[in-house]
Amino acid sequence: MPKPLPLIVVHPPSASGGRWVHVDDEVLGIAYGVVDLLEFLRRAGLDPEEVRLNDPAIKWHGGGPHVWGAEVV
């Protein structure tokens, strides 16, 4: 059984399309899409293969994983 995820916060999209990403209290950077988000989480020690974007530990503000800036992907 995979261990529970830490609290992951994906902030609302900025005008440039990027979204700030935090894991617990650590700022990971600005993601411009799901690939960036998964890379940040990998660098934070999580296995991207086990991360589910609809996991309740991921708090999406300003839209879910399909909203990046003015575009919906």
Side-chain angles (χ1 to χ4, degrees), residues 1-70:
M1 174 180 250
K3 67 179 184 175
L5 293 175
L7 177 61
I8 300 164
V9 178
V10 182
H11 294 273
S14 68
S16 66
R19 298 176 77 161
W20 283 100
V21 179
H22 287 80
V23 170
D24 292 328
D25 292 329
E26 181 182 353
V27 177
L28 299 183
I30 300 174
Y32 290 91
V34 171
V35 172
D36 292 340
L37 173 63
L38 293 174
E39 176 60 17
F40 286 151
L41 298 180
R42 183 193 66 76
R43 291 180 189 176
L46 300 171
D47 182 352
E49 296 292 323
E50 293 185 10
V51 173
R52 301 294 170 249
L53 297 177
N54 62 351
D55 191 294
I58 302 178
K59 305 299 181 202
W60 293 91
H61 298 278
H66 302 293
V67 178
W68 298 91

